[in-house]
Amino acid sequence: MKKKNIGVFLLVIMMIAVIAGCSSSSKEKVKLAYVAWDSEIASTYVVKEVLETKLGATVEMLQVDAGPMWAGVADGSADGMVAAWLPSTHAAYLEKYGAKIEDLGANLNGTKGGLAVPAYMDINSIEDLKNSDMAAKLNNRIIGIEPGAGIMTTTEKAIAEYDLSDYTLLESSSAAMAQELQKAYDNNEPIVVTGWTPHWMFANMDLKYLEDPKGVYGADEQIHTMVRQGLKDDMPNVYKFLDQFEWTAEDMAKVMIEVQGGKSPEEAAKTWVESNPDKVNAWVAGIEL
């Protein structure tokens, strides 16, 4: 090859490398914070799948507790989250961080939280937990999830409001709580847990919420999408998609059941996204793909 041709060839290779470098660096890098609840794993991985396959973004997943999740979006170390339970469960976090976060509204309606028991238990109200015989059957335990979770804070209030000082609220994780519940359910044993819907355990087991006459757990809730301030200017396409993201409890349940059945969150999210093109297209409408 002549020296002139070699020089042209090397120049072309360098230009291709520069273009490739610019292309890869132009990908938007999105940090999503979430809590390790089955519901939030489902929603966040679906959002990740759409961001990566439809918008070409790269997504970093930040699994944290509820407090750090809110704090991360507020201080900008996370770009957003789709896991804000309002108005009750995360009320304290909204009060603390709300002024530093942009609320894009509800992405899911009709959620609920409270104390849940198997339907075979002869108990209907939180008031019934005060019965000494029932307390003994339950070993004076309420099986909880991660410390700092909104439902744990609310349950501490419920213990005080209903004078359940004989009970211990056990800290664990959402996965460990569900495992304990499933074990007791399979053996027809009494158990009370911190529960919420949507959750796969209500599809797999016959459960009921204990009535809450004092209204400690509040009425039905919504799950909101929260993003850091400035995201709209920095990543307008990501912002628009997150603003348009909404689905139903039934949608979420399908992903959760797939994960509970053995699929990875990535696989379950991919399956759902591929099976629901109309909803996904509505989420990315108006975005140049």
Side-chain angles (χ1 to χ4, degrees), residues 31-253:
K31 294 182 179 181
L32 295 177
Y34 70 106
V35 288
W37 296 2
D38 298 85
S39 50
E40 273 40 77
I41 290 171
S43 59
T44 308
Y45 273 89
V46 165
V47 167
K48 174 180 183 289
E49 176 70 14
V50 175
L51 282 170
E52 292 183 340
T53 61
K54 301 298 183 182
L55 274 66
T58 58
V59 178
E60 180 180 350
M61 302 286 274
L62 305 173
Q63 182 182 307
V64 292
D65 290 334
M69 176 179 70
W70 280 82
V73 178
D75 67 19
S77 57
D79 294 305
M81 49 104 158
V82 291
W85 285 59
L86 298 169
S88 300
T89 302
H90 286 163
Y93 298 124
L94 180 64
E95 182 178 354
K96 184 174 183 178
Y97 299 110
K100 300 178 181 179
I101 292 178
E102 185 175 353
D103 183 355
L104 298 185
N107 61 62
L108 189 148
N109 289 292
T111 67
K112 180 179 175 62
L115 295 182
V117 301
Y120 56 71
M121 287 182 63
D122 186 20
I123 180 175
N124 295 301
S125 171
I126 298 176
E127 293 276 9
D128 297 334
L129 292 174
K130 289 191 287 187
N131 181 284
S132 58
D133 289 340
M134 180 56 65
K137 290 178 182 178
L138 292 165
N139 295 315
N140 298 91
R141 302 187 312 167
I142 297 171
I143 310 301
I145 58 171
E146 295 84 358
I151 197 167
M152 291 291 280
T153 303
T154 305
T155 301
E156 290 170 355
K157 293 179 182 176
I159 288 173
E161 287 287 329
Y162 287 96
D163 192 22
L164 302 176
S165 57
D166 290 341
Y167 282 83
T168 298
L169 176 59
L170 296 184
E171 297 175 350
S172 59
S173 67
S174 60
M177 176 275 293
Q179 186 177 27
E180 283 287 315
L181 176 60
Q182 186 73 65
K183 180 181 176 182
Y185 188 85
D186 291 342
N187 293 317
N188 205 50
E189 295 173 346
I191 188 171
V192 57
V193 303
T194 54
W196 63 93
T197 43
H199 194 289
W200 62 262
M201 63 188 185
F202 284 88
N204 287 11
M205 293 173 270
D206 187 8
L207 308 174
K208 61 183 178 182
Y209 283 107
L210 294 180
E211 295 171 5
D212 176 19
K214 296 181 182 290
V216 177
Y217 288 94
D220 289 356
E221 294 194 287
Q222 300 173 322
I223 305 178
H224 284 229
T225 300
M226 300 286 185
V227 299
R228 64 171 174 83
Q229 293 180 348
L231 182 69
K232 186 174 184 179
D233 295 328
D234 299 339
M235 304 182 193
N237 286 345
V238 172
Y239 178 93
K240 188 174 183 66
F241 159 59
L242 291 175
D243 191 30
Q244 295 178 163
F245 168 67
E246 60 177 343
W247 61 345
T248 67
E250 291 73 22
D251 293 325
M252 179 184 276

